[in-house]
Amino acid sequence: MTLFQRYLFRQGLWPLLTALLALTGLAVMTQSLSNIELISSERETAFAFVWITLLAMPQIIAMILPVAVFLAVAISMNRLISDSELTVGAAAGMSRGQRMSPFIRIAVFAMLGNLVINLFLQPVAFREMRESVYEIRSDLVADFMRPGEFTDLGGNVTFYTRSLDDNGVMSDVFIQDGRGTESRAYAAGTGLITRTSRGPVMLLQNGQLSQTDEQGELSTLAFERYEFELNAFLDPASAFFFKESDRFLPELLMPTAADIVRARSAAVLYAEGHYRLAAPLYNLVFALFAACAFFAVEHRRTGYARFIILAGAGAMILRLAGFAVQAAASDNMAYNVVQYALPVGGIVIGLIILNRPVRFLRRFRRAHAEASA
């Protein structure tokens, strides 16, 4: 880049960072509402709230990055044209492409950053977030451990522990289990919740099991170690598995049979995979549409607000159509081609408008009218 182009690049970069920061802050505030409900219902700390919110940021940034690119190009170009700096560049012999080059570079860098987020940062962050949310929702110690109190767990099950130390070890544990036709009572010296391949269990040690059968006969059994299943007391929403947004690209485009069963169909995984690859192209679409609002029209002393609004509306309609196509591709894999066709078509439209400005169309219409007369 020339010295003047580097200047234009810096003039577009700072609005991009500012717009990205502002839009991200707004999106994080919206996202945090659901996290506040999760944290407050599970009685977690502020650190868990901040951590889960930060882990959601890669996807938020990827979603709003094209909008930030549009705002950056529109704001910087509007200021540069108002100050006649782009006009000076044209007077110095710079072509339209040379003047646009710094802004296209910004869009390309944003596109590459968006691609890195989609392919690497988002899956890593979402996997960690999924595990953190699972830990919070399946933290049974925080859910129903009330030392010195009898706690009704539901389903005719009552729990009691005399004390609970900092390591999660419970002393003098009592469990009354009235489920089924047989009534059982567990009394143990210590108890500890641990995770197994079957799910969370309460590991009871040095205890006694008293059981009453259907005939009302009582039997007693002493044990040194007993695992009391806790899956029945977990919220079904806390079941741990990776969703489509948590998976890496090879897992989406080359799914296993288990992945397909979990996702309900292979089309859902393919739609997410192709979306990860196609979505970054919208950064270039939004940049070109913003440039069209200035370079594809004649110089206007009254400003370019009307053209910026039209360009922004066109870009947003195209982006919303992309989301609709992604949803359609989840049912029909044939629509995955359209996920690429929409942004590529938007790029082509932007280039055509930039290379055939309105003034050329007006000259053509004027010439056609004179010929007809």
Side-chain angles (χ1 to χ4, degrees):
M1 289 190 293
T2 64
L3 179 62
F4 184 69
Q5 287 177 323
R6 288 198 296 271
Y7 170 75
L8 296 180
F9 182 85
R10 290 194 299 270
Q11 294 303 308
L13 181 61
W14 289 113
L16 172 64
L17 297 178
T18 303
L20 187 60
L21 181 62
L23 293 174
T24 301
L26 181 61
V28 166
M29 289 178 60
T30 305
Q31 173 72 23
S32 63
L33 296 178
S34 59
N35 294 340
I36 289 176
E37 181 181 357
L38 169 65
I39 300 302
S40 61
S41 63
E42 303 294 341
R43 296 178 295 280
E44 284 295 324
T45 63
F47 174 79
F49 165 75
V50 174
W51 179 239
I52 292 176
T53 302
L54 289 176
L55 291 174
M57 286 185 64
Q59 187 189 49
I60 294 175
I61 293 175
M63 292 278 290
I64 66 177
L65 190 54
V67 179
V69 169
F70 180 91
L71 293 175
V73 174
I75 292 172
S76 57
M77 279 192 174
N78 186 65
R79 192 192 67 77
L80 291 168
I81 288 179
S82 298
D83 295 342
S84 300
E85 292 178 279
L86 288 178
T87 305
V88 171
M94 295 182 65
S95 66
R96 183 185 299 109
Q98 290 174 323
R99 284 175 286 160
M100 282 185 52
S101 173
F103 304 103
I104 299 301
R105 289 173 184 267
I106 291 175
V108 171
F109 289 149
M111 180 176 64
L112 295 176
N114 198 338
L115 187 63
V116 171
I117 291 174
N118 285 356
L119 299 186
F120 303 105
L121 296 184
Q122 177 184 319
V124 171
F126 268 41
R127 283 170 181 253
E128 179 63 28
M129 183 175 67
R130 199 74 60 196
E131 293 177 358
S132 299
V133 172
Y134 174 75
E135 292 288 340
I136 291 173
R137 285 180 168 169
S138 61
D139 187 359
L140 296 175
V141 174
D143 278 349
F144 60 76
M145 299 306 168
R146 303 289 185 273
E149 298 180 12
F150 284 91
T151 304
D152 184 10
L153 304 183
N156 296 323
V157 178
T158 303
F159 171 82
Y160 172 86
T161 182
R162 181 177 59 83
S163 62
L164 176 67
D165 65 17
D166 295 336
N167 296 322
V169 178
M170 297 162 282
S171 301
D172 297 335
V173 178
F174 175 80
I175 301 175
Q176 174 64 42
D177 187 356
R179 294 173 296 177
T181 58
E182 299 179 349
S183 178
R184 299 181 179 183
Y186 304 85
T190 60
L192 176 67
I193 291 181
T194 184
R195 301 186 186 280
T196 67
S197 58
R198 306 186 309 275
V201 298
M202 184 180 295
L203 180 59
L204 303 175
Q205 293 182 323
N206 301 323
Q208 184 176 354
L209 167 61
S210 301
Q211 177 175 315
T212 303
D213 58 19
E214 296 179 0
Q215 288 74 32
E217 297 182 1
L218 177 65
S219 60
T220 303
L221 175 66
F223 59 83
E224 293 184 359
R225 175 190 174 98
Y226 187 88
E227 293 183 356
F228 184 77
E229 299 283 348
L230 297 175
N231 284 324
F233 311 110
L234 284 176
D235 183 357
S238 65
F240 180 76
F241 61 92
F242 289 131
K243 297 183 179 180
E244 295 77 37
S245 57
D246 313 338
R247 299 184 180 276
F248 291 97
L249 188 64
E251 297 175 306
L252 295 170
L253 299 184
M254 294 179 291
T256 64
D259 294 336
I260 295 174
V261 171
R262 174 66 69 180
R264 302 184 307 279
S265 69
V268 175
L269 298 173
Y270 290 135
E272 176 68 19
H274 290 291
Y275 165 79
R276 301 270 189 92
L277 295 173
L281 294 172
Y282 286 99
N283 291 279
L284 192 54
V285 173
F286 276 62
L288 289 173
F289 275 41
C292 288
F294 300 93
F295 282 113
V297 297
E298 296 178 349
H299 178 71
R300 304 180 67 87
R301 296 179 179 272
T302 57
Y304 298 82
R306 179 162 59 95
F307 300 103
I308 295 173
I309 293 174
L310 290 175
M316 288 303 300
I317 290 173
L318 194 66
R319 189 67 190 93
L320 293 175
F323 288 125
V325 170
Q326 181 194 3
S330 299
D331 297 323
N332 187 346
M333 287 188 290
Y335 285 100
N336 284 321
V337 177
V338 186
Q339 291 204 68
Y340 298 94
L342 278 177
V344 171
I347 293 172
V348 172
I349 291 173
L351 292 175
I352 290 175
I353 294 175
L354 287 171
N355 290 301
R356 295 178 61 86
V358 173
R359 60 177 177 270
F360 291 159
L361 295 178
R362 289 178 178 174
R363 291 177 183 175
F364 174 78
R365 291 172 182 172
R366 190 181 301 115
H368 180 71
E370 291 174 356
S372 300

